[in-house]
């Protein structure tokens, strides 16, 4: 196992998820239901499944499209969304 990749992936995902809407939804659900362990288990399964889908999709896409092209398309997409949000179209 590549420990450097493992730790950098963990740190990236951990920092990206802090304070995002998923974490806020978990906080709300745990507070509302008073069942934090059920919310934790369900959220863990959901996040693991979404991550698996992302990894499998990336693996499939990378066999047909270069990672550089995917990066450029994603960058253009994020910039476009940012511009649309800035001019209040979204």
């Amino acid at each position: 196992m590549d420990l450097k990749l493992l730790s950098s992936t963990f740190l990236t995902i951990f920092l990206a998820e802090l304070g995002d809407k998923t974490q806020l939804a978990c906080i709300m659900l745990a507070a509302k239901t008073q069942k934090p362990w059920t919310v934790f288990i369900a959220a863990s399964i959901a996040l693991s499944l979404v991550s698996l889908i992302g990894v499998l999709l990336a693996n499939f896409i990378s066999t047909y499209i270069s990672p550089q092209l995917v990066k450029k398309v994603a960058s253009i997409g994020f910039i476009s969304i940012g511009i649309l949000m800035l001019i209040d179209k979204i």
Side-chain angles (χ1 to χ4, degrees):
M1 181 179 296
D2 185 346
L3 290 178
K4 184 177 179 182
L5 177 60
L6 178 74
S7 61
S8 67
T9 302
F10 172 81
L11 188 59
T12 301
I13 300 300
F14 184 81
L15 292 175
E17 291 297 324
L18 278 177
D20 78 340
K21 63 183 183 259
T22 305
Q23 187 179 31
L24 297 175
C26 288
I27 291 168
M28 181 201 64
L29 286 168
K32 182 179 177 181
T33 63
Q34 295 295 308
K35 296 182 180 184
W37 287 109
T38 303
V39 173
F40 171 73
I41 291 168
S44 297
I45 293 168
L47 288 170
S48 294
L49 185 57
V50 166
S51 296
L52 175 64
I53 291 168
V55 169
L56 293 175
L57 185 61
N59 189 46
F60 176 75
I61 288 173
S62 69
T63 59
Y64 299 103
I65 302 172
S66 74
Q68 292 80 16
L69 180 60
V70 172
K71 186 176 181 179
K72 287 178 184 176
V73 170
S75 299
I76 291 169
F78 280 116
I79 290 169
S80 299
I81 290 169
I83 290 170
L84 290 172
M85 289 176 72
L86 190 62
I87 62 174
D88 213 17
K89 293 290 183 179
I90 293 181

